[in-house]
Amino acid sequence: DAPTIIDEENLEKGIPFSDYEERPEVQKWLKYFRGRGIGQISKFLNRGKRYENLIKTLLAKHELPKFFFYLAMIESGFNLNAHSRASAVGIWQFIAPTAKRYGLRINRYVDERKDPIRATVAAANYLQDLNNVFDSWPLAMAAYNAGESRIMNAIMRHGTRDYWELGAKRAIPRETRGYVPKFIAALLIAEDPGKYGVDLEKQLKPWPAVVSAYVPSPVRL
């Protein structure tokens, strides 16, 4: 088959996150990451360097903007073994029903939510589906965090499809009200730390490309 040609530049258009920089919700997180949160964002970015090339390549392949790489940072800090109080697992913090809906295996032998390749493919497909439903990346991310039904109910109840307006009306959970601004702040700083006066610690060199390997039987590691 002929290789798929991805228009990467076009993928990044239509999501004016820099336009949201002056919003007080985003400024709050910019202040945090430039202050007492600098150690946290540096740690996460260093850990994420191992997976950056892999995740961004998979996102582009599935026609998703590469900067959603930083959504994984907000979700898990790029910790493959991360567990949440809501029983979400892995780098993309899937709960079991959503993971299984997107083809990830969870059984006594394997939990593919911890697989950076398969979980990233599942997350890309899920985010695309959410954006198709809400026609808004901020709402798609909010639904990724809080669940589709909760965001849809908020839209129907308050008569607006504007993420920021829903947040101002406290129509969505507190965590979700901070989720998108936190992502935007992390994205802005990570992409241009000098602009924000952030001196990130020396980052690890990118790892070589990671690929799946088939083995004939279970292997004890």
Side-chain angles (χ1 to χ4, degrees):
D1 294 339
T4 301
I5 299 176
I6 303 297
D7 184 355
E8 295 183 3
E9 182 177 351
N10 192 51
L11 282 180
E12 311 303 318
K13 296 178 180 178
I15 312 177
F17 288 126
S18 59
D19 292 353
Y20 303 137
E21 180 177 351
E22 298 305 319
R23 298 195 68 93
E25 304 96 321
V26 177
Q27 285 293 317
K28 169 189 170 183
W29 285 106
L30 284 171
K31 181 179 179 180
Y32 170 76
F33 285 133
R34 294 167 67 181
R36 60 191 179 93
I38 183 62
Q40 182 187 66
I41 194 172
S42 297
K43 176 182 176 181
F44 290 168
L45 286 173
N46 272 303
R47 187 187 293 156
K49 271 293 177 183
R50 306 174 184 180
Y51 312 106
E52 184 172 7
N53 181 63
L54 166 70
I55 292 175
K56 287 185 175 180
T57 298
L58 288 172
L59 291 174
K61 183 177 179 180
H62 289 80
E63 300 188 9
L64 209 67
K66 289 182 179 180
F67 46 63
F68 281 113
F69 165 75
Y70 300 108
L71 198 67
M73 184 177 79
I74 299 303
E75 286 288 339
S76 66
F78 299 113
N79 180 0
L80 300 185
N81 296 309
H83 286 70
S84 77
R85 288 176 294 178
S87 298
V89 173
I91 196 169
W92 289 98
Q93 288 291 278
F94 276 106
I95 59 174
T98 308
K100 291 177 180 178
R101 193 196 331 165
Y102 283 88
L104 298 179
R105 292 180 298 163
I106 304 172
N107 56 48
R108 61 181 295 188
Y109 299 109
V110 65
D111 187 340
E112 291 185 339
R113 293 177 293 179
K114 299 180 181 180
D115 182 328
I117 296 176
R118 296 173 190 264
T120 296
V121 171
N125 289 331
Y126 186 28
L127 285 165
Q128 283 285 20
D129 287 347
L130 290 172
N131 189 51
N132 289 338
V133 170
F134 294 104
D135 194 27
S136 160
W137 283 120
L139 287 178
M141 287 188 285
Y144 190 97
N145 176 254
E148 306 99 296
S149 60
R150 185 172 289 179
I151 300 303
M152 187 61 72
N153 288 340
I155 291 171
M156 299 297 290
R157 189 166 61 250
H158 292 272
T160 178
R161 298 179 64 87
D162 185 285
Y163 165 82
W164 304 101
E165 190 173 344
L166 289 172
K169 292 182 176 181
R170 298 178 180 268
I172 52 181
R174 179 179 180 180
E175 178 185 331
T176 309
R177 296 199 299 270
Y179 184 75
V180 174
K182 185 177 183 181
F183 162 77
I184 294 172
L187 164 67
L188 293 174
I189 288 178
E191 290 290 291
D192 191 2
K195 176 182 176 180
Y196 299 95
V198 175
D199 183 18
L200 296 176
E201 64 185 64
K202 188 177 181 181
Q203 298 191 356
L204 301 174
K205 293 181 180 179
W207 283 23
V210 180
V211 298
S212 295
Y214 286 96
V215 293
S217 63
V219 176
R220 184 177 297 277
L221 300 177

